[in-house]
Amino acid sequence: MTRGLFLTLEGIDGAGKSSHIDALEALFRTRGRTVTRTREPGGTPLGETLRTLVLTQPMDALTESLLVFAARREHVLQVIEPALARGDVVLCDRFTDATFAYQGAGRGFDLDVLSSLEHWVQAGRAPEPDVLLQPALTLWFDLPPEIAAERLAGARLPDKFESQPVEFFRRVAQGYADRAAGAARFARIDANRPREQVWQQIEATLAARGFA
């Protein structure tokens, strides 16, 4: 059986990551791969319910983090792990890196607590109980927050996070940069380029990593 591949797309709101998921799915399908496409928060019926709460309701940062990780636990067990076991390519619009960037850096929540939650939710089962489920590749769409804000302006009714000031997204962007600095699985995509050039970076990254 072909080995499953877990690939995530990350970046601040307005970075353009979601606009490339269709092309990524098509690329892998042309290579004969089965693709499971999903998102966070969400991915399961419970996760989508929790997503609505997280994106619309004011709440304490710990409450918010607990809801995100609760949704993630169901997502991992019901969707991601079974798809990888089947040999699928899993394309996920955001995963745990987003929690460290948004709740951690953006909202200033304790990164050590987030690390503990990450371990509880993503730790493997026997025979490797201490191995965390992590993406094989994370495409990080890096865009200056000021430009992201221009892209979002008037696009749609903003959710709780999209309506935050630019300074919040500066912190989130730095959170992504800090997270990427310690993980070889990250590939920085310069999202401040025309769409065609962004896609060329994605294709080059996949080829260089041996994933397509």
Side-chain angles (χ1 to χ4, degrees):
M1 178 182 293
T2 303
R3 179 174 60 90
L5 173 62
F6 185 20
L7 191 155
T8 57
L9 295 83
E10 296 281 359
I12 63 174
D13 293 278
K17 58 184 175 49
S18 300
S19 65
H20 291 281
I21 292 183
D22 286 343
L24 272 169
E25 180 177 2
L27 176 66
F28 282 109
R29 290 191 184 280
T30 61
R31 285 160 172 73
R33 300 297 298 267
T34 300
V35 177
T36 293
R37 178 169 158 178
T38 188
R39 68 176 182 175
E40 288 209 351
T44 67
L46 175 60
E48 292 297 326
T49 298
L50 295 178
R51 176 188 178 90
T52 299
L53 293 175
V54 168
L55 296 185
T56 61
Q57 300 300 313
M59 62 186 71
D60 171 76
L62 175 56
T63 303
E64 194 171 271
S65 300
L66 290 171
L67 289 179
V68 168
F69 272 105
R72 181 165 297 131
R73 179 64 176 174
E74 290 299 299
H75 193 206
V76 167
L77 294 179
Q78 294 186 27
V79 177
I80 297 175
E81 285 187 340
L84 293 175
R86 293 192 303 267
D88 291 7
V89 173
V90 177
L91 299 179
C92 191
D93 188 344
R94 293 207 171 108
F95 194 59
T96 307
D97 299 312
T99 310
F100 279 83
Y102 278 80
Q103 281 71 42
R107 298 205 59 187
F109 189 62
D110 192 324
L111 297 181
D112 289 336
V113 174
L114 294 180
S115 293
S116 294
L117 291 170
E118 179 183 30
H119 185 85
W120 293 344
V121 167
Q122 294 163 231
R125 291 183 289 274
E128 296 181 302
D130 293 326
V131 176
L132 299 186
L133 172 68
Q134 294 285 14
L137 174 64
T138 296
L139 298 173
W140 168 36
F141 290 73
D142 188 20
L143 183 72
E146 295 80 6
I147 295 176
E150 292 175 5
R151 291 182 179 181
L152 287 173
R156 61 179 181 276
L157 183 65
D159 62 37
K160 183 176 75 177
F161 293 101
E162 292 171 338
S163 61
Q164 292 294 314
V166 170
E167 182 54 40
F168 173 82
F169 287 103
R170 291 194 185 102
R171 296 195 300 271
V172 173
Q174 185 59 52
Y176 273 122
D178 293 342
R179 187 82 166 158
R185 61 181 169 81
F186 268 81
R188 179 184 176 274
I189 303 297
D190 183 358
N192 192 21
R193 293 188 180 185
R195 180 185 176 90
E196 296 77 10
Q197 293 182 19
V198 172
W199 177 246
Q200 288 170 3
Q201 293 176 74
I202 294 171
E203 286 189 307
T205 297
L206 293 174
R209 301 288 182 106
F211 293 137

